[in-house]
Amino acid sequence: MTVRHHLRADFIIFLLNIIETPPENDVQEMLPDIMINLILSFNLQFENFAENVVLEAMEQFKTAKTFTEKILLLINREGRVFEFLICSTVPYLSKLMHPNALFLHISEDPVHTLKHTPMNINPVLKMLVDLFSRPETASIFYTNDNKVLIDILVRQLSDLSAGEPIRKWYLELCRKILRNTNYPEHQHRKQDLMKIFTRIFCEETECSASDQQIVREIANEFPQIFKA
C-alpha cells in the first residue's frame, strides 16, 4: 500500500467522522450532507472493488448510522425531483458548486451538485453496490436496513422495463445483498423477488439478455433460496 493510498483512505475516514459526529457549530446540520456528496463523488473513480479506498475506510467502522440512514433515504428517493440546498456558506466548496443558484431542481442524486461528475451511473446506487460487495462493509447496515433496501429493490425492479440500463445495477445490488448479508436467515420479500426474476427471464427482447444472465447467475448461486 502506498503512502498516497493510505492518505486517501484517511481522508475518507475523516469525512465519515464528520458525518457521524458533526461539529457543534454545524447548527444547520449541513456538513454531513456535504461530506456524503464528497464521498459519493470520490467513489465514482473506483471500478475495482479490491482497490477502492472508500471501502477500505468503511471497513474501519463497525457502524455508520448517520451515513447508512442518509444513503437509504437518497436511494429511496431515486428518480424523484426535489430541491437540493447548496451551501453557499462553505467557501472551500464553492468551486465545486453550481455558480448561479442556491437551489437546484434535480433528480435525487446529490452528486449532481458537483461539476464535472460523470452522470452515466447513479452514484448512490454505485455506492451501495460497492458497499455490499464485501461482507466487511455490508455489515455496517443492520438487518432492518437490508430489509428496507430490499423493499426499494422490489419497487424499482417492478417498475423498470427491459433495456433500462439502471436495471442491471439494481439486479447486481440484489445479488450482493444475497451473497454478503444474512438474507438466507430472513428471506425478506422472497416471493416478490422470484416473481420479478421470472418476469425478466421470460422477456423476449434482445435488450433483456444481459439482465437475464444476471438473473440466471443469481438462481444458480442461490438455489436453496430460489428453488421452485
Side-chain angles (χ1 to χ4, degrees):
M1 180 187 301
T2 65
V3 173
R4 181 181 177 185
H5 181 95
H6 181 71
L7 289 175
R8 291 163 76 191
D10 283 349
F11 174 64
I12 299 300
I13 292 172
F14 169 74
L15 298 181
L16 286 167
N17 282 326
I18 293 177
I19 292 169
E20 297 303 315
T21 312
E24 293 182 1
N25 60 358
D26 182 28
V27 293
Q28 294 182 321
E29 300 181 350
M30 300 183 70
L31 276 179
D33 290 333
I34 294 171
M35 298 304 106
I36 286 176
N37 291 357
L38 290 176
I39 291 174
L40 293 175
S41 185
F42 190 72
N43 186 62
L44 287 172
Q45 68 183 290
F46 299 106
E47 297 182 3
N48 187 336
F49 299 136
E51 299 176 356
N52 190 326
V53 298
V54 176
L55 300 185
E56 178 186 320
M58 288 287 183
E59 288 182 358
Q60 307 302 313
F61 289 76
K62 292 184 178 180
T63 61
K65 186 174 183 293
T66 301
F67 178 83
T68 54
E69 286 178 352
K70 288 183 177 292
I71 290 295
L72 288 174
L73 179 63
L74 288 169
I75 198 64
N76 188 45
R77 293 176 177 175
E78 193 272 325
R80 299 179 185 177
V81 175
F82 82 124
E83 288 186 332
F84 188 86
L85 176 62
I86 296 179
C87 183
S88 60
T89 60
V90 186
Y92 57 85
L93 288 180
S94 61
K95 292 184 179 180
L96 296 176
M97 298 301 183
H98 191 283
N100 299 321
L102 291 180
F103 290 89
L104 292 179
H105 291 275
I106 56 178
S107 65
E108 190 76 18
D109 176 353
V111 179
H112 275 179
T113 62
L114 301 180
K115 298 171 68 176
H116 312 303
T117 300
M119 298 319 301
N120 58 335
I121 175 59
N122 182 310
V124 181
L125 186 52
K126 182 183 184 302
M127 183 80 261
L128 284 167
V129 171
D130 290 350
L131 286 170
F132 281 94
S133 68
R134 303 178 182 180
E136 296 83 3
T137 48
S139 66
I140 68 172
F141 291 88
Y142 298 117
T143 297
N144 284 340
D145 294 334
N146 295 337
K147 290 181 178 180
V148 169
L149 190 51
I150 291 167
D151 289 338
I152 296 170
L153 279 171
V154 167
R155 185 188 72 218
Q156 295 286 20
L157 288 172
S158 297
D159 292 341
L160 291 168
S161 303
E164 294 191 62
I166 200 171
R167 189 168 75 168
K168 73 174 183 179
W169 284 89
Y170 279 106
L171 288 171
E172 192 59 46
L173 176 57
C174 183
R175 173 170 25 201
K176 304 295 187 188
I177 292 173
L178 296 176
R179 179 184 294 162
N180 293 319
T181 73
N182 65 338
Y183 182 83
E185 296 177 10
H186 56 78
Q187 300 188 16
H188 182 63
R189 304 293 294 270
K190 170 186 171 180
Q191 295 302 320
D192 292 312
L193 288 174
M194 290 182 68
K195 290 177 183 177
I196 290 168
F197 293 162
T198 300
R199 174 177 60 82
I200 292 174
F201 196 74
C202 292
E203 291 172 351
E204 298 181 354
T205 58
E206 291 185 8
C207 59
S208 299
S210 59
D211 291 348
Q212 290 170 341
Q213 179 61 29
I214 296 175
V215 169
R216 185 180 297 107
E217 291 171 358
I218 290 174
N220 290 338
E221 184 174 354
F222 307 101
Q224 72 279 15
I225 298 176
F226 297 107
K227 61 183 178 181

